[in-house]
Amino acid sequence: MGRVQDRVVIVTGGAGGIGAAASRAVAAEGGKLVVADLDAAAAANVAQEIVDAGGEATSIRVDVTDRAQVKAMIAAAIDSFGELNVIFNNAGMNRPRGFMDVDEENFDQIVRVNTWGAIVCTQEAARQMIAQGKGGKIVNTGSIASRQAFWDFVPYCVAKFGILALTQATARGLIEHGITVNAFAPGVVDTPMWIGLNEDIRAIHDQPIEADPMREFATGTLVGRAAAPEELTPFLVYLASPESDYMTGQMYMVDGGQVLV
Ligand SMILES: NC(=O)c1ccc[n+]([C@@H]2O[C@H](COP(=O)([O-])OP(=O)(O)OC[C@H]3O[C@@H](n4cnc5c(N)ncnc54)[C@H](O)[C@@H]3O)[C@@H](O)[C@H]2O)c1
């Protein structure tokens, strides 16, 4: 028996660095995966890898900010596997700007994907879990930017502090249905997200092309380096498994000791 045996798990942003690693790790523990992402081809590749390794997975294209697409994602989980037990609200993005250059479009895009997307997915997943009547688990992706704010990251920090609020509020509201809500908060993780972050930060600070500001930022953790996505997944498996049933409403730092709360 795996630690997530036969649980049906949706991972949004499942084609990305953390989401793909989480999908593989949960599948390896017996979970049945719906890999959901804006990038349909990359999501299909992750699902195929899982199936090739002997696991169970399907994939679907979704924009988490679009309710009709989120409903279709939930329906795909039911069509493929009969129920929904866990959703990992992991889809996210950032476009850093110095605070004085943040405009409405930059703010709206970041908050809409990171926070509104998690709200819509939580609502639609909870609707399904409540109808099933046997509880469920919602796992949100926060960040060190949920606990500390940075000048070049204001919309992202607002969005990720919002994930802390969403986690607390929905844990209070959904516990009567046996649904727990937790979040985990990575620090600097070596994923494709870094490529764009490095480009934006170099542009803000007029740094040369060789500069690697994200790697430099990671040296400020107690552990002294960035994480590989696979270093986060044991904790995500735990949050998806019955082992974490007594935990709800919390955000857990998995950040190499960057923010001490
Ligand atoms: N990499 C880090 O250092 C880091 C640190 C803290 C938190 N995070 C958070 O972890 C999560 C995963 O990030 P990652 O580093 O794996 O990034 P990534 O860019 O590798 O993956 C993000 C995935 O989300 C998908 N996505 C983006 N917008 C979407 C939308 N509207 N609908 C559906 N899918 C969408 C992308 O296509 C991509 O596959 C994000 O929420 C991010 O904010 C990352």
Side-chain angles (χ1 to χ4, degrees), residues 9 41 54 134 163 176 194-195 212-213 220 243 258:
V9 181
K134 50 193 253 194
I163 291 294
E176 68 170 297
W194 262 26
I195 299 165
D212 190 345
E243 296 159 23
Q258 197 156 25

Side-chain angles (χ1 to χ4, degrees), residues 129-255:
M129 290 171 183
I130 291 167
Q132 292 170 186
K134 50 193 253 194
K137 285 177 178 283
I138 296 171
V139 180
N140 296 322
T141 304
S143 166
I144 51 170
S146 301
R147 299 282 192 179
Q148 277 187 5
F150 305 90
W151 178 255
D152 294 336
F153 282 64
V154 168
Y156 187 74
C157 294
V158 169
K160 291 295 190 184
F161 269 66
I163 291 294
L164 179 60
L166 175 68
T167 301
Q168 293 183 355
T170 53
R172 291 185 200 280
L174 292 173
I175 196 64
E176 68 170 297
H177 302 288
I179 299 169
T180 62
V181 188
N182 289 291
F184 91 112
V188 184
V189 190
D190 200 344
T191 70
M193 186 182 251
W194 262 26
I195 299 165
L197 290 180
N198 265 340
E199 279 169 8
D200 289 344
I201 294 168
R202 281 197 296 260
I204 293 168
H205 297 286
D206 213 8
Q207 293 174 346
I209 185 75
E210 323 72 75
D212 190 345
M214 292 306 288
R215 196 165 302 282
E216 215 167 281
F217 187 48
T219 62
T221 63
L222 294 181
V223 172
R225 60 172 176 79
E230 290 71 22
E231 291 180 281
L232 310 177
T233 55
F235 188 64
L236 292 169
V237 167
Y238 174 72
L239 288 181
S241 81
E243 296 159 23
S244 59
D245 279 355
Y246 194 64
M247 298 155 74
T248 194
Q250 302 291 344
M251 177 177 282
Y252 305 94
M253 311 307 298
V254 188
D255 67 342

Side-chain angles (χ1 to χ4, degrees), residues 13 15-19 37-39 62-65 90-93 113-114 141-143 156 160 186-189 191-194:
I18 295 170
D37 202 287
L38 258 186
D39 186 337
V62 71
D63 178 344
V64 292
T65 68
N90 166 75
M93 49 77 60
V113 174
N114 290 282
T141 304
S143 166
Y156 187 74
K160 291 295 190 184
V188 184
V189 190
T191 70
M193 186 182 251
W194 262 26

